[in-house]
Amino acid sequence: MANPVYRRLFAAQVIALVGTGVTTVALGLLAYDLAGPNAGAVLGVALALKMVAYVGLSPVIAAHAHRVDRRSLLVGLDLARAGVLFLLPVVTQVWQVFVLILVVNACAAGFTPAFQATIPEVLPDEGDYTRALSFSRVAYDVGEILAPAIAAAMLLLVDFDALFALNGVTFLLSALLIAGLALPKATRDVSDRSWRRITLGARRFWTLPRLRGLLALNFAAAAASATVIVNTVTLVREDFERSSTAVAVALAAAGIGSVITAAAVPRLLHRVSDRAAMLTGGLVLAAGLSLVGLVPTYGALLLLWVVLGAGLALVQTPAGRLIQRSGDRDDLPPLFAAQFALSHACWLVTYPVAGALGAVVGIGPVALGLGLSCAVSVALASRLWTR
C-alpha cells in the first residue's frame, strides 16, 4: 500500500466490486418488476449472456488492448459501464435488459484482464505482487459478503431503480481514480496479427505445464464454488428449515474461510511452492465436496463452507503468479484474458450441473460427483504440472 499507483488501483477495484454486487441484487428486483413469476427465467438468460461475454469476448478485447493506452482503455470501459447502469432504470422491456447486460459484461470482460495485467507491471517485485494478489482476493470475498448487506440497507432509503444509478456513480469514481495515474505503456508493435493475439493466451495455456495445471485446477475451483453458490439456499431453507438470514450467514462463512486463507497465502508461499499450495487446496475442495451429502446440522454446514472457502483461496490466490511467469509484460493482457475466459467456461459447465442436476437427483449425490471430478482434476494438474 506504500505504492501510490497500486493504492489508487486497489481503491478503484474495491469500489467497482461493491458496486457490481449491489447491481446483482438490483437486477434480480428489476427482473421481477418486468417479468413477475418469470423473473427466474429472465435472470437465467441474463447470467448466461454474462458468461457468453466473459468467455467469448475477453480474448478478443485483450488481443486489441495493446493498440490503446492502458489507462484510456480502463477509464473508457468504466465510463461505458456507468452509462449502461444509468440507462437500466428507464428500460421497460425484457429484451432491453438483455442488450444492456450484454454490453456491461462485455466491458467487464475487457476491464478485468487489463486491470489484472496492470498490477504486476506496477509491482514488479514478486513479494509485493504476491501480497497484492492476496489483497485482491480478500477484496473480492469481502465484496461478496458486504454487497448484499449494503443493497439491503440502501433499499430502506431508496427504490431499487436508484441502486443502478448509485452503482453507475461507483464506476465513475473508479474511472476518476484511474484517470490520474501514469500507467506503464505497452512496447509491442501494433502490426501484430490479431488472430495470433486472440489465440496467444489459449496457446500458452496449452503448451506451458504450469498453465495446463492451472486450467485443471480452475475446474476444481468451479465445481466447489458452483456447489456453494447454487445450492446453499436449498440446503439451508429445505434441508435445515432455516431463514433467509441463515442463507446469508452460510454464504458469508465460505467468504470468511476464503478471506482468512487468502490473507495467509503470502507467508505460506515463502515456505511452500505455488504448486504444493494449489494442489493442497484442490484436495481440500475434493474432500469437502464429498462430505456435502453427509452434513447432519446447520452448524456443520457452516464449518464445511469455511473449509471450502479456504480451499478456494489456496487454489485461486496464487494463480496470478503463474500467469506473470508465463510471458513478457506485453503478453500479460492476453494471458490474463485467457485465464478469465477459461475459468468462466468451467463455471458455465458446473453451474447447471450443480443446479439442474442437483434438483433432479439430489444435492448430496451431485456434490459427490463434483467432488470426484475435482479429485480427477487435481490428479491431472499434478501430472501436467510437474515439480
Side-chain angles (χ1 to χ4, degrees):
M1 288 297 175
N3 185 308
V5 176
Y6 172 72
R7 193 164 58 239
R8 289 181 63 168
L9 285 171
F10 181 72
Q13 180 190 24
V14 170
I15 290 170
L17 281 172
V18 172
T20 301
V22 172
T23 295
T24 301
V25 176
L27 180 61
L29 295 171
L30 176 62
Y32 185 78
D33 190 54
L34 293 176
N38 295 320
V42 172
L43 273 178
V45 174
L47 292 174
L49 289 172
K50 172 182 176 179
M51 289 298 177
V52 167
Y54 283 2
V55 175
L57 297 180
S58 183
V60 177
I61 297 171
H64 297 281
H66 67 296
R67 302 173 186 270
V68 183
D69 174 71
R70 183 76 58 78
R71 180 181 61 185
S72 300
L73 176 66
L74 293 173
V75 170
L77 291 172
D78 260 345
L79 293 177
R81 288 192 284 183
V84 170
L85 289 169
F86 287 134
L87 288 174
L88 275 171
V90 300
V91 302
T92 57
Q93 302 293 326
V94 170
W95 69 266
Q96 295 170 338
V97 176
F98 292 156
V99 171
L100 294 178
I101 289 300
L102 184 60
V103 172
V104 77
N105 284 297
C107 293
F111 182 93
T112 302
F115 183 91
Q116 291 172 331
T118 302
I119 303 302
E121 296 178 7
V122 172
L123 300 173
D125 178 77
E126 186 171 70
D128 289 341
Y129 179 52
T130 303
R131 286 188 287 275
L133 290 174
S134 175
F135 276 130
S136 294
R137 182 69 204 178
V138 169
Y140 177 82
D141 288 321
V142 171
E144 288 284 297
I145 296 169
L146 291 183
I150 292 172
M154 291 170 63
L155 285 169
L156 297 175
L157 305 173
V158 299
D159 186 76
F160 81 86
D161 283 345
L163 295 185
F164 290 118
L166 290 171
N167 191 25
V169 173
T170 66
F171 286 117
L172 291 179
L173 290 174
S174 174
L176 186 63
L177 285 166
I178 296 171
L181 297 178
L183 300 180
K185 296 184 181 297
T187 58
R188 174 159 285 157
D189 189 346
V190 296
S191 63
D192 271 2
R193 286 181 292 175
S194 293
W195 180 248
R196 287 188 60 81
R197 291 287 291 176
I198 291 172
T199 59
L200 171 65
R203 286 186 284 112
R204 202 67 60 87
F205 265 80
W206 182 254
T207 55
L208 286 183
R210 73 171 73 92
L211 295 185
R212 279 194 263 176
L214 174 58
L215 181 56
L217 289 169
N218 280 340
F219 187 84
S225 59
T227 299
V228 172
I229 292 169
V230 173
N231 288 324
T232 294
V233 62
T234 304
L235 286 169
V236 174
R237 294 303 301 271
E238 298 294 328
D239 291 12
F240 301 119
E241 299 180 345
R242 296 295 184 110
S243 66
S244 298
T245 303
V247 175
V249 171
L251 291 171
I256 290 168
S258 183
V259 166
I260 293 172
T261 306
V265 162
R267 289 187 178 182
L268 177 66
L269 294 181
H270 282 300
R271 297 179 174 85
V272 302
S273 67
D274 296 37
R275 179 180 182 275
M278 295 174 75
L279 290 176
T280 300
L283 291 175
V284 169
L285 296 178
L289 286 175
S290 67
L291 296 175
V292 170
L294 304 176
V295 173
T297 64
Y298 175 69
L301 180 73
L302 294 182
L303 180 60
L304 182 58
W305 262 213
V306 169
V307 171
L308 287 177
L312 285 169
L314 279 176
V315 171
Q316 294 175 321
T317 305
R321 286 162 52 106
L322 307 188
I323 296 170
Q324 181 198 23
R325 296 169 185 160
S326 301
D328 61 36
R329 49 181 292 216
D330 290 322
D331 291 337
L332 292 181
L335 283 172
F336 276 103
Q339 163 66 0
F340 187 76
L342 292 170
S343 61
H344 282 86
C346 294
W347 277 313
L348 197 55
V349 174
T350 57
Y351 275 145
V353 169
L357 199 57
V360 174
V361 302
I363 294 173
V366 169
L368 178 60
L370 287 172
L372 291 174
S373 68
C374 190
V376 171
S377 297
V378 173
L380 185 61
S382 177
R383 187 171 181 82
L384 294 172
W385 180 13
T386 55
R387 291 182 186 276

